[in-house]
Amino acid sequence: MTGNFIDILEHEYHSREDIVNMLSAEGDERRLLFRKSAEVRDSYVGKKVYYRGLIEFSNICSKNCYYCGIRKGNRNLERYNLSDDEIIAAARFAWENNYASLALQSGEIEGDAFTLRVENLLKKIMEMTEGQLGITISLGEQTEDVYRRWMEAGARRYLLRIEASDPDLYSKLHPIDGHHVFQRRVECLKTLQRLGYQTGTGVMIGLPWQTIDNLASDIEFMRDMDIDMCGMGPYIEHADTPLISRKDSLMPLMERFDLSLKMIAVLRIVMKDINIAAATALQAIDPMGREKGVMVGANVVMPNITPGKYRDSYKLYENKPCTDDSAEDCKGCLEARLGVANADIGYGEWGDSLHYKRRMHEGQSELK
Ligand code: SAH
Ligand code: SF4
């Protein structure tokens, strides 16, 4: 049996059945899976872990995803919006501490004022850092024109999780009100790629109704879409959301955690040269969660550098870790933790997705 499993790990192309087998690994097979994914990480993207300083600049959102604590319909939390100066100061912190990369995230807002605000912020950050900070944004679904403007203003990478790649499951997790259309999300990802963004997506793991087969299709979706980056982690229920009604059907948190590690490991084996982030939600379940993610194949960590007083209000899910800490505390803490995971930190390096570089290079040679 184990012999078979070793063969599966070595396949050049992994079938649906291979992926299901890997996701179902237990005991010795699980150990082999994790050993293989760590090996693949080391040989394809190296031992370094890259930081993206994460600024969650506003929890105001126009959408109503059933799983999310900052959904529009939740009246049980205080809404905040960082000032431009606060955002710039956080960006300066990232730059001065040699993080080399920044990620700006917020609830989803579409409209001219929001577009312009982000555009100006990107320009200011680029100016302040002389273009030396690699900027990722994660601001939801927008039009092609908006994505283009933000790219021209300095953004280089975009994270837009598909959340669940099965349209049926997707429709159970979102209201059917014209603002949560699966196909639009897919089109947005394609637009981002066409515009030349390093494009990232991801899913939640351990969702109600979700099966191992769904998760295997998620991996296939990411491969078919030829994505450059992935950020995925466990689904963690939030009391003030509609999905809390499915609480009793969920697998225990530790199982969701373990399945998330397996998803990272399998994705690393299937898409060897992409960047994979160890999601903060892993840490909400296990204090060493992100480090464990790194051990099984992730190579990006996103330390939270949102000013401490706002962190408590960006609660996508319950138990969100470190909401009382300052950015300075996080830095020291993470360094020590990643040392335990036997990974070096790529300070001062952008840590671009090698997959992206290869994809762009191939695109150019095809044009010649
Ligand atoms: N509004 C943007 C970005 C902020 S939300 C967007 O939706 O794209 C960032 C991510 O938080 C989402 O993509 C989702 O995958 C994750 N998230 C939301 N609620 C969650 C929950 N209850 N458990 C785990 N992750 C959650
Ligand atoms: Fe808004 Fe994103 Fe939460 Fe959906 S997941 S409610 S878009 S912040």
Side-chain angles (χ1 to χ4, degrees), residues 78-133:
E78 217 173 296
R79 300 286 168 173
Y80 72 89
N81 198 354
L82 258 65
S83 69
D84 286 5
D85 286 348
E86 286 171 313
I87 299 173
I88 302 286
R92 183 184 290 279
F93 173 89
W95 189 48
E96 285 174 349
N97 284 281
N98 236 345
Y99 280 16
S101 279
L102 188 73
L104 287 174
Q105 192 177 78
S106 76
E108 187 175 311
I109 305 286
E110 278 190 87
D112 293 343
F114 186 77
T115 304
L116 189 65
R117 177 174 191 221
V118 172
E119 189 175 37
N120 286 333
L121 274 169
L122 290 168
K123 284 184 186 160
K124 274 194 204 158
I125 296 170
M126 288 297 281
E127 223 177 79
M128 174 180 77
T129 61
E130 292 154 13
Q132 288 172 16
L133 207 56

Side-chain angles (χ1 to χ4, degrees), residues 67-68 105-106 161 163 185 204 234-236 314 316-317:
Y67 42 82
C68 178
Q105 192 177 78
S106 76
R161 287 186 175 181
E163 315 296 1
R185 217 160 167 88
M204 282 172 287
Y235 161 68
I236 301 174
Y314 199 84
L316 305 163
Y317 44 83

Side-chain angles (χ1 to χ4, degrees), residues 42-332:
D42 288 354
S43 54
Y44 282 79
V45 295
K47 260 188 184 302
K48 277 192 187 152
V49 172
Y50 300 98
Y51 275 179
R52 317 283 180 233
L54 174 64
I55 308 177
E56 299 161 330
F57 67 85
S58 169
N59 65 356
I60 302 171
C61 187
S62 63
K63 290 176 95 174
N64 251 323
C65 308
Y66 288 151
Y67 42 82
C68 178
I70 66 170
R71 63 197 297 275
K72 185 180 176 195
N74 182 11
R75 303 238 146 72
N76 240 341
L77 85 163
E78 217 173 296
R79 300 286 168 173
Y80 72 89
N81 198 354
L82 258 65
S83 69
D84 286 5
D85 286 348
E86 286 171 313
I87 299 173
I88 302 286
R92 183 184 290 279
F93 173 89
W95 189 48
E96 285 174 349
N97 284 281
N98 236 345
Y99 280 16
S101 279
L102 188 73
L104 287 174
Q105 192 177 78
S106 76
E108 187 175 311
I109 305 286
E110 278 190 87
D112 293 343
F114 186 77
T115 304
L116 189 65
R117 177 174 191 221
V118 172
E119 189 175 37
N120 286 333
L121 274 169
L122 290 168
K123 284 184 186 160
K124 274 194 204 158
I125 296 170
M126 288 297 281
E127 223 177 79
M128 174 180 77
T129 61
E130 292 154 13
Q132 288 172 16
L133 207 56
I135 307 178
T136 307
I137 48 179
S138 179
L139 305 170
E141 295 165 32
Q142 304 284 344
T143 62
E144 175 164 347
D145 183 50
V146 171
Y147 287 149
R148 186 179 295 111
R149 278 173 60 182
W150 288 345
M151 176 159 230
E152 282 165 4
R156 290 291 168 267
R157 316 180 178 119
Y158 206 103
L159 273 181
L160 183 71
R161 287 186 175 181
I162 193 67
E163 315 296 1
S165 70
D166 177 83
D168 283 339
L169 179 55
Y170 189 91
S171 69
K172 290 185 178 130
L173 305 171
H174 299 93
I176 302 173
D177 60 0
H179 299 296
H180 301 78
V181 180
F182 176 78
Q183 204 47 44
R184 178 170 190 226
R185 217 160 167 88
V186 176
E187 288 308 319
C188 283
L189 282 171
K190 289 185 181 162
T191 304
L192 290 163
Q193 280 178 315
R194 185 158 31 80
L195 291 175
Y197 276 97
Q198 287 179 50
T199 307
T201 193
V203 295
M204 282 172 287
I205 298 151
L207 286 160
W209 303 286
Q210 191 180 46
T211 62
I212 289 289
D213 219 45
N214 286 143
L215 290 168
S217 339
D218 290 340
I219 300 269
E220 289 177 319
F221 173 88
M222 293 189 246
R223 178 172 59 190
D224 293 346
M225 293 287 293
D226 204 18
I227 53 133
D228 306 306
M229 322 182 287
C230 174
M232 60 184 168
Y235 161 68
I236 301 174
E237 64 274 26
H238 189 297
D240 300 320
T241 61
L243 223 54
I244 198 71
S245 64
R246 307 288 310 173
K247 192 178 188 324
D248 293 341
S249 72
L250 297 173
M251 64 175 84
L253 275 176
M254 282 320 290
E255 279 176 38
R256 273 178 259 168
F257 180 82
D258 193 58
L259 200 48
S260 301
L261 292 185
K262 284 180 186 160
M263 281 290 281
I264 291 176
V266 173
L267 185 66
R268 173 58 73 206
I269 291 169
V270 171
M271 296 192 79
K272 300 184 171 17
D273 57 358
I274 64 170
N275 277 352
I276 304 180
T280 312
L282 288 169
Q283 198 191 345
I285 299 180
D286 178 332
M288 289 296 280
R290 283 184 302 185
E291 293 70 16
K292 289 181 182 170
V294 166
M295 284 189 209
V296 303
N299 68 326
V300 168
V301 168
M302 300 169 73
N304 197 333
I305 56 167
T306 310
K309 63 178 169 172
Y310 298 109
R311 284 197 203 173
D312 206 31
S313 301
Y314 199 84
K315 284 232 165 110
L316 305 163
Y317 44 83
E318 282 165 47
N319 262 337
K320 204 168 165 228
C322 306
T323 54
D324 303 329
D325 297 352
S326 73
E328 202 53 69
D329 296 340
C330 279
K331 186 172 174 261

